[in-house]
Amino acid sequence: QSAPTQPASLSASPGQSITISCTGTNSDVGNYDLVSWYQQHPGRAPQLIIYEVNKRPSGISGRFSGSRSGNTASLTISGLQAEDEADYYCCSCAGRSTLVFGEGTRLTVL
Amino acid sequence: QVQLQESGPGLMKPSETLSLTCTVSGFSVRSHYFWGWIRQPPGKGLQWIGSVYPGGTTHYDESVESRAIVSADTANNQFSLRLTSLTAADTAVYYCARQVTNLYYFDAWGQGTLVTVSS
């Protein structure tokens, strides 16, 4: 299966809000409430920040929120902070017990 | 608190077979979770390889399915990845992770280990 499409890069200033999109198909993102998002800082392992479209694990800031409409899932980060500068990946169930990661988005906090 | 740690060779030659092990501490691999492998080529995105349930059920990404085997060693609280017929395209950081069963997300990750395939 093909990786869901994400913008390669985004930038915003501290305090602003930003939304990262993850566009898949009706075989993955659009067919399951099983989209997760991961934050990855350089040289570090990914960290789960959103699961099941819009749920936050314990310890993850409420500034992170998720949603889905049709074949596109979105991650919104409000009140941007310098430490939010990282790569972000969506991930979705893709049927037949498989899953697929999105292409990834590099977020720069100006 | 669950911790995962990958181990294995850092340098491989083309056509060789890679064997990586993930040692889990603070949690039993016998529990109701899948255990997965994800890789990341240098400067590129994440790619799921495959996952195993302690009972033996496995699932793989179709792009590596013919070359990959993921297995669990419950006696030693470990799980492993075997990847055959290596090429330079298999050069990547390999992560092991805990996958929540039926919900398709990874809630705990190892720190990753770099595997370079070069002659």
Side-chain angles (χ1 to χ4, degrees):
Chain A
Q1 58 268 16
S2 299
T5 301
Q6 297 181 230
S9 63
L10 291 172
S11 61
S13 300
Q16 290 186 323
S17 294
I18 196 163
T19 297
I20 301 171
S21 61
C22 168
T23 301
T25 70
N26 54 18
S27 296
D28 43 57
V29 174
N31 199 35
Y32 305 95
D33 288 330
L34 296 173
V35 176
S36 53
W37 288 90
Y38 301 85
Q39 178 191 63
Q40 185 181 33
H41 288 108
R44 303 294 297 274
Q47 180 185 16
L48 178 70
I49 55 173
I50 294 288
Y51 65 98
E52 293 183 70
V53 176
N54 56 16
K55 298 179 181 178
R56 278 190 315 275
S58 174
I60 298 301
S61 170
R63 298 185 299 104
F64 294 91
S65 63
S67 63
R68 181 174 69 93
S69 177
N71 294 340
T72 298
S74 299
L75 171 70
T76 298
I77 311 172
S78 59
L80 270 175
Q81 300 178 0
E83 60 260 34
D84 298 331
E85 184 163 295
D87 294 330
Y88 292 85
Y89 295 91
C90 64
C91 180
S92 173
C93 174
R96 294 184 294 112
S97 300
T98 66
L99 54 87
V100 62
F101 284 95
E103 297 171 332
T105 298
R106 176 150 296 176
L107 174 62
T108 300
V109 180
L110 301 171
Chain B
Q1 178 179 343
V2 61
Q3 292 187 319
L4 299 92
Q5 177 67 59
E6 305 87 351
S7 59
L11 181 62
M12 302 289 295
K13 287 182 166 50
S15 81
E16 289 186 332
T17 295
L18 172 67
S19 291
L20 294 176
T21 296
C22 183
T23 300
V24 180
S25 57
F27 197 86
S28 174
V29 297
R30 299 175 190 266
S31 301
H32 187 53
Y33 282 83
F34 272 80
W35 302 90
W37 290 94
I38 302 99
R39 68 181 179 179
Q40 184 172 36
K44 296 188 178 181
L46 301 170
Q47 180 193 15
W48 173 67
I49 299 171
S51 301
V52 60
Y53 190 77
T57 300
T58 53
H59 302 295
Y60 299 97
D61 183 88
E62 61 185 13
S63 68
V64 296
E65 186 168 17
S66 63
R67 299 192 295 128
I69 296 176
V70 181
S71 58
D73 177 0
T74 56
N76 291 302
N77 219 40
Q78 297 174 329
F79 63 104
S80 300
L81 168 67
R82 186 171 179 267
L83 189 64
T84 64
S85 304
L86 292 175
T87 70
D90 294 311
T91 294
V93 174
Y94 286 75
Y95 295 101
C96 61
R98 186 176 72 177
Q99 178 185 337
V100 178
T101 300
N102 296 328
L103 295 179
Y104 296 90
Y105 64 87
F106 299 96
D107 66 347
W109 294 67
Q111 64 184 28
T113 186
L114 175 62
V115 175
T116 302
V117 182
S118 174
S119 56

